[in-house]
Amino acid sequence: MAQSRVAIVTGAARGIGAAVAKRLAEDGYAVGVLDLTEDHCKDTVAAIQQAGGTALAVGADVSNADQVTAAVSKVAEELGPPAVLVNNAGILRDNLLFKMSEDDWDLVLNVHLRGAFLMSREVQKYQTEAGWGRIVNLSSTSALGNRGQANYSAAKAGMQGFTKTLAIELGKFGITVNAIAPGFIETDMTAATAERVGVDFEQFKQGAAAAIPVQRVGQPEDIAAMASFFAREESGFVSGQVIYVAGGPQD
Ligand code: NAP
């Protein structure tokens, strides 16, 4: 195992990020739980601590370079040098192209892509020095195209190219970089989508499940299990991959 046992998970206040943070804590990592404010992180941190793990709340907007630098330094000082980074923070600003504002385009691209870029650039300093690291990026099945999500699908397709390029650049330092592309996962994000299209969330989930080969929607823990695999020592020969965790094959 790596000398360092510290992980940072962005967007870890709730949903997939919270599940990933809890899973990595169960796996033995001290976890920097990063979200927009420290206060947002408190439930995830408390859950990890109650289960006997170590966690630190870190407030930062991942699209802000100064805040990212300060956040990663804080984790390094208080927990130790970060070895694992999960770029999970994300937002939706869905709209059809002709109604999409420049702000909605910029915001989504900034949080997902600029955020992953800034976080990875900062964390790799510690990983390259240690000669070991794991970066896991959250893509999406929307990378393959999804009506009303020109901004989000561009960001999530961008995450795949970003993942492969970092895998090429960082491999010689013992760092693997992979992406998880979830399908429908039951979180506040999919609940917000149901609300936007005016469908009751239970009905929305049933409709989605019927179209998924395993006949259910995903849970945040399904994604946490994949992140746990990518964070392990034994996954060290898997890099630059995009794994669809979607209950069935994707095109
Ligand atoms: P979620 O429940 O909406 O949680 C997203 C988290 O990211 C929130 O805690 C949010 O903070 C945080 N966040 C947003 N902007 C941030 C920023 N600038 N800096 C730091 N943190 C920020 O979403 P989720 O469903 O768990 O999704 C997690 C990731 O998986 C996202 O990248 C998403 O695109 C991807 N994904 C989700 C699904 C799905 O079906 N749910 C499918 C494919 C991919 P606040 O709580 O403070 O707002």
Side-chain angles (χ1 to χ4, degrees):
M1 188 60 217
Q3 299 132 344
S4 175
R5 294 276 291 168
V6 175
I8 299 177
V9 183
T10 70
R14 54 199 169 96
I16 292 170
V20 171
K22 289 175 200 167
R23 176 62 194 257
L24 292 181
E26 278 168 31
D27 291 348
Y29 284 95
V31 182
V33 174
L34 188 151
D35 212 282
L36 279 166
T37 69
E38 273 184 35
D39 194 51
H40 287 193
C41 302
K42 65 179 189 301
D43 289 351
T44 307
V45 168
I48 291 172
Q49 289 172 343
Q50 273 158 26
T54 303
L56 174 73
V58 189
D61 175 347
V62 294
S63 65
N64 180 303
D66 291 342
Q67 290 183 27
V68 164
T69 303
V72 175
S73 297
K74 178 178 164 166
V75 172
E77 278 160 26
E78 297 191 30
L79 294 179
V84 173
L85 169 65
V86 181
N87 284 310
N88 167 84
I91 54 164
L92 294 180
R93 289 294 183 274
D94 294 352
N95 225 329
L96 294 173
L97 176 65
F98 77 102
K99 290 192 280 189
M100 188 172 285
S101 70
E102 288 163 44
D103 280 352
D104 285 351
W105 176 269
D106 290 343
L107 197 59
V108 169
L109 272 287
N110 278 344
V111 173
H112 293 271
L113 271 183
R114 182 179 157 85
F117 155 64
L118 292 173
M119 286 296 305
S120 302
R121 190 177 63 174
E122 209 55 32
V123 169
Q124 61 78 33
K125 293 177 189 167
Y126 299 93
Q127 295 173 322
T128 51
E129 198 178 317
W132 195 93
R134 301 282 186 261
I135 298 176
V136 181
N137 295 318
L138 267 291
S139 179
S140 168
T141 51
S142 294
L144 303 168
N146 199 24
R147 187 178 170 80
Q149 292 194 319
N151 49 3
Y152 184 78
S153 64
K156 291 310 199 184
M159 287 297 254
Q160 299 192 7
F162 179 67
T163 297
K164 289 174 191 289
T165 299
L166 293 201
I168 292 166
E169 291 187 14
L170 299 176
K172 66 180 171 194
F173 301 104
I175 302 166
T176 68
V177 188
N178 291 287
I180 303 172
F184 188 116
I185 308 297
E186 185 176 347
T187 68
D188 291 347
M189 189 177 268
T190 37
T193 303
E195 202 177 325
R196 181 177 61 82
V197 298
V199 180
D200 169 71
F201 193 37
E202 286 308 313
Q203 272 182 318
F204 194 61
K205 283 188 290 180
Q206 277 171 23
I212 296 171
V214 302
Q215 297 285 289
R216 69 169 177 89
V217 299
Q219 296 300 321
E221 291 71 24
D222 291 314
I223 306 307
M226 198 68 239
S228 169
F229 170 72
F230 282 138
R232 276 182 230 158
E233 187 66 41
E234 66 188 350
S235 70
F237 205 53
V238 184
S239 195
Q241 300 305 300
V242 179
I243 305 291
Y244 285 86
V245 181
Q250 299 297 314
D251 292 336

